[in-house]
């Protein structure tokens, strides 16, 4: 016996998936506090090693880091907050 | 006791008075010299004060040595070719890159490149950082298909002296929108481009650089990236490139190419090691059409379907306190299968091992061994030698630096 047509069950699956995804996202609210409280140094440690070795802050002057920061925001598709925190850290 | 204090009263007061007067006088002297110094410093800093714009030059160079032995076997007969090449002919590159920033919104990138093929341009584009999560770019772009070409191919980033075979990519004139955003503990990113379009060649391959705009149709390229883990250690990506590729007005006018790719990047610090897994798998599908046989000018056709993929893993004791931390070991497996019965039909498997020595974060000395075994799948009718097995073994010693 079939309660739902194929189309209906597809829609139902989509809705369930959507609710599921939202539940995960909402649940992660406390976890996302952990994300927002990440320091520039931590974000630098986590993100820059994804493609190449991690450069030390001593590599460039603050002005150059501002430029490289924009360049890498685009290469790595960093979020705005990540980019700002990392560049602030690298400038020190 | 009291009388003694009373007697000392006067001398103490006069001493204090004297002290204040002399110290005042001293202060005046210090003040004026300080002022002079401050004035001088102010003048100096005015000269070096960062302006709104900033220009810097970076770049990279890669060179080395390759020794290759290629054995070609067809049935019982085989022949061997040995070559040694200094400069590492197919990988030599000298590319200065200009980065020109106007304020915090505009960035111009230009990378000319001198390589084995002569002088060329890798990319030349201007990016506008419109709002958080949206960068708009225009110019001559590396299209966002997979991650290898845009992110990992540079000599000082690639852990091997060679590139995996057959990775589809394209550089073209176009516009692009990209950005990254946080969603809970995960991150998402997108990179979408519209370009003049890849171009179908007479043998069914696709021209991906130096493209001539051969029709009115634009090519769409896009990649979605997903970083499911809160520490950004894993990124999974899916890409699509699609558009009409035939010359306007020709029999191939409506022929479309569709390319798909999946990519993976995982970098984890399991102290004292740093572990890295990267891979990309791609499919290229071009609608069926007929091509001209170069042997007898007749028409022939084949299923224009190509797959290519690689997976690599590397390990580096990055967190130990001695010289060993500069060494990295890597292995890569690759496969490239181009259309059977086409002029360039082949089925290649490759295996590469690398031992790298990092002189610093952006300078590397690579020792790579790579073995590629290819089986020819062309057609006798096209003048090909199907069944020909090519075994190519290469040793590379390569130096690469980012400047």
């Amino acid at each position: 016996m079939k309660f739902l047509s194929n189309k209906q069950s597809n829609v139902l699956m989509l809705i369930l998936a959507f609710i599921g995804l939202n539940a995960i996202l909402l649940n992660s609210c406390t976890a996302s506090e952990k994300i927002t409280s990440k320091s520039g140094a931590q974000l630098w440690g986590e993100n820059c090693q994804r493609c190449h070795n991690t450069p030390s802050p001593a590599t460039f002057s603050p002005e150059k880091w501002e430029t490289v920061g924009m360049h890498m925001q685009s290469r790595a598709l960093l979020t705005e907050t990540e980019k700002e925190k990392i560049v602030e850290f690298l400038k020190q | 006791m009291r009388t003694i204090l009373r007697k000392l009263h006067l001398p103490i007061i006069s001493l204090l008075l004297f002290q204040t007067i002399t110290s005042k006088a001293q202060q005046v002297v210090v003040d004026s010299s300080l002022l002079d110094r401050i004035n001088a410093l102010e003048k100096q800093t005015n000269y070096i004060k960062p302006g709104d714009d900033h220009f810097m030059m970076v770049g990279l160079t890669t060179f080395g040595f390759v020794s290759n032995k290629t054995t070609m076997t067809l049935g019982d007969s085989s022949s061997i070719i040995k070559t040694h090449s200094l400069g590492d002919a197919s990988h030599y590159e000298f590319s200065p890159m200009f980065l020109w920033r106007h304020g915090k919104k505009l960035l111009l990138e230009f990378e000319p490149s001198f390589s084995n093929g002569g002088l060329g341009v890798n990319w030349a584009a201007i990016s506008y950082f419109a709002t958080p999560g949206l960068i708009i770019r225009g110019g001559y772009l590396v299209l966002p298909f997979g991650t290898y070409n845009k992110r990992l191919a540079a000599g000082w980033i690639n852990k091997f002296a060679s590139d995996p075979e057959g990775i589809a990519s394209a550089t073209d004139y176009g516009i692009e929108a990209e950005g990254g955003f946080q969603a809970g503990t995960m991150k998402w990113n997108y990179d979408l481009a519209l370009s003049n379009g890849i171009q179908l060649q007479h043998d069914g391959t696709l021209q991906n650089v130096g493209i001539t705009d051969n029709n009115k149709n634009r090519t769409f390229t896009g990649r979605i990236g997903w970083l499911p883990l809160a520490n950004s250690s894993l990124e999974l990506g899916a890409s699509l490139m699609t558009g009409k590729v035939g010359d306007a007005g020709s029999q191939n006018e409506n022929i479309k190419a569709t390319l798909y790719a999946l990519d993976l990047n995982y970098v984890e610090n399991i102290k004292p090691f740093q572990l890295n897994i990267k891979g990309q798998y791609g499919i290229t599908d071009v609608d069926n059409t007929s091509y001209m046989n170069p042997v007898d000018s007749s028409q022939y056709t084949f299923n224009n379907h190509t797959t290519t993929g690689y997976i690599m893993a590397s390990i580096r004791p990055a967190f130990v306190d001695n010289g060993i931390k500069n060494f990295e070991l890597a292995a890569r497996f690759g496969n490239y299968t181009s259309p059977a019965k086409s002029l360039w039909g082949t089925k290649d498997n490759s295996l590469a091992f690398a031992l790298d020595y990092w002189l610093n974060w952006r300078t590397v000395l690579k020792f790579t061994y790579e073995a590629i075994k290819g089986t020819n799948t062309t057609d006798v009718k096209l003048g090909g030698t199907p069944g020909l097995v090519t075994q190519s073994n290469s040793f590379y010693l390569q130096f690469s630096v980012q400047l």
Side-chain angles (χ1 to χ4, degrees):
Chain A
M1 186 172 140
K2 227 176 169 191
F3 291 106
L4 298 166
S5 73
N6 266 349
K7 205 169 171 191
Q8 281 170 323
S9 65
N10 280 347
V11 171
L12 191 71
M13 288 302 275
L14 262 177
I15 292 171
L16 284 177
F18 188 71
I19 293 172
L21 187 69
N22 272 293
I24 293 169
L25 289 181
L26 288 177
N27 250 333
S28 55
C29 257
T30 44
S32 68
E33 270 161 35
K34 258 194 222 153
I35 302 263
T36 44
S37 66
K38 278 188 188 180
S39 69
Q42 187 180 352
L43 290 167
W44 161 76
E46 288 177 352
N47 283 284
C48 306
Q49 63 173 9
R50 281 162 40 205
C51 296
H52 49 67
N53 298 314
T54 309
S56 122
T59 315
F60 292 123
S61 67
E63 233 191 330
K64 287 189 171 177
W65 275 128
E66 194 69 54
T67 305
V68 171
M70 281 170 83
H71 193 210
M72 285 308 115
Q73 177 178 18
S74 148
R75 279 294 172 282
L77 300 174
L78 302 171
T79 68
E80 191 69 14
T81 324
E82 284 176 331
K83 180 235 162 181
E84 262 157 28
K85 284 186 176 177
I86 293 172
V87 167
E88 217 38 61
F89 163 75
L90 287 166
K91 280 176 163 181
Q92 285 166 21
Chain B
M1 182 70 182
R2 232 175 221 197
T3 41
I4 299 174
L5 272 181
R6 210 167 283 159
K7 270 191 190 159
L8 281 175
H9 211 129
L10 205 67
I12 287 174
I13 288 178
S14 33
L15 197 74
L16 280 175
L17 213 67
F18 179 72
Q19 273 236 324
T20 12
I21 291 167
T22 48
S23 71
K24 259 262 154 60
Q26 255 175 13
Q27 216 171 330
V28 171
V29 174
V30 169
D31 270 353
S32 78
S33 75
L34 255 182
L35 275 178
D36 287 349
R37 187 80 194 109
I38 288 170
N39 272 339
L41 279 172
E42 254 174 11
K43 265 193 189 151
Q44 270 179 25
T45 46
N46 245 337
Y47 280 111
I48 55 166
K49 158 176 81 79
D52 266 353
D53 64 346
H54 177 247
F55 177 80
M56 78 187 268
M57 193 160 150
V58 286
L60 73 114
T61 187
T62 302
F63 65 86
F65 172 78
V66 58
S67 166
N68 173 273
K69 178 182 164 196
T70 300
T71 313
M72 285 182 285
T73 314
L74 187 63
D76 288 339
S77 62
S78 69
S79 64
I80 295 176
I81 304 168
K82 284 185 183 172
T83 57
H84 304 286
S85 156
L86 204 64
D88 182 0
S90 56
H91 301 101
Y92 174 79
E93 178 176 5
F94 181 81
S95 311
M97 174 167 41
F98 305 93
L99 291 175
W100 199 341
R101 166 169 68 79
H102 271 218
K104 294 189 173 179
K105 291 268 184 191
L106 277 180
L107 179 72
L108 191 133
E109 280 178 61
F110 176 48
E111 189 176 87
S113 177
F114 176 68
S115 65
N116 191 40
L119 205 55
V121 171
N122 288 346
W123 59 83
I126 183 150
S127 306
Y128 176 60
F129 291 65
T131 55
L134 175 64
I135 302 169
I136 300 167
R137 179 173 305 126
Y140 187 60
L141 317 167
V142 179
L143 297 179
F145 185 75
T147 44
Y148 191 78
N149 283 282
K150 212 170 168 177
R151 299 179 170 185
L152 306 169
W156 62 279
I157 296 180
N158 183 6
K159 300 184 196 301
F160 301 84
S162 62
D163 293 311
E165 213 185 344
I167 296 279
S169 73
T171 309
D172 199 3
Y173 294 95
I175 49 168
E176 189 177 1
E178 62 176 22
F181 51 91
Q182 192 84 45
T185 53
M186 305 187 249
K187 284 193 290 182
W188 288 92
N189 58 63
Y190 66 94
D191 193 344
L192 314 170
L194 212 56
S195 60
N196 274 345
I198 36 180
Q199 188 185 357
L200 188 67
Q201 300 296 95
H202 298 304
D203 56 0
T205 54
L206 296 169
Q207 179 76 24
N208 57 359
V209 283
I211 300 165
T212 313
D213 191 14
N214 61 339
N215 57 31
K216 285 205 200 109
N217 190 258
R218 300 293 81 131
T219 290
F220 166 82
T221 310
R223 176 180 177 274
I224 301 286
W226 180 43
L227 292 94
L229 305 179
N231 67 358
S232 302
S233 60
L234 177 68
E235 178 168 1
L236 300 167
S239 313
L240 170 76
M241 185 186 288
T242 178
K244 287 185 186 171
V245 291
D247 295 345
S250 77
Q251 61 164 5
N252 291 332
E253 190 169 30
N254 288 317
I255 297 300
K256 219 171 72 189
T258 311
L259 294 82
Y260 314 87
L262 294 173
D263 60 75
L264 156 103
N265 187 19
Y266 179 65
V267 183
E268 187 73 88
N269 299 330
I270 304 165
K271 287 184 177 158
F273 295 105
Q274 184 178 72
L275 182 73
N276 197 184
I277 298 171
K278 295 187 197 297
Q280 183 168 321
Y281 178 76
I283 298 174
T284 302
D285 266 324
V286 181
D287 291 348
N288 284 340
T289 182
S290 50
Y291 303 92
M292 197 180 77
N293 185 339
V295 176
D296 57 11
S297 304
S298 65
Q299 298 280 307
Y300 72 102
T301 183
F302 59 90
N303 179 17
N304 200 341
H305 174 86
T306 304
T307 59
T308 168
Y310 83 92
I311 181 111
M312 63 133 279
S314 71
I315 187 158
R316 177 176 176 188
F319 302 96
V320 298
D321 263 345
N322 54 47
I324 295 177
K325 70 165 186 260
N326 298 323
F327 286 98
E328 183 158 19
L329 258 178
R332 181 181 71 200
F333 173 73
N335 173 276
Y336 169 64
T337 307
S338 55
K341 308 267 180 215
S342 74
L343 273 173
W344 80 104
T346 184
K347 203 173 159 62
D348 290 1
N349 283 319
S350 70
L351 188 60
F353 295 101
L355 176 66
D356 300 333
Y357 183 77
W358 291 97
L359 292 134
N360 60 42
W361 73 275
R362 48 180 169 170
T363 313
V364 62
L365 197 61
K366 305 180 224 178
F367 181 72
T368 302
Y369 168 75
E370 184 168 35
I372 306 177
K373 186 179 179 185
T375 308
N376 189 309
T377 58
T378 56
D379 197 335
V380 185
K381 277 195 304 206
L382 304 171
T385 36
L388 177 77
V389 175
T390 307
Q391 176 73 47
S392 152
N393 296 338
S394 305
F395 281 101
Y396 297 86
L397 185 62
Q398 190 184 72
F399 174 79
S400 189
V401 57
Q402 192 276 325
L403 303 153

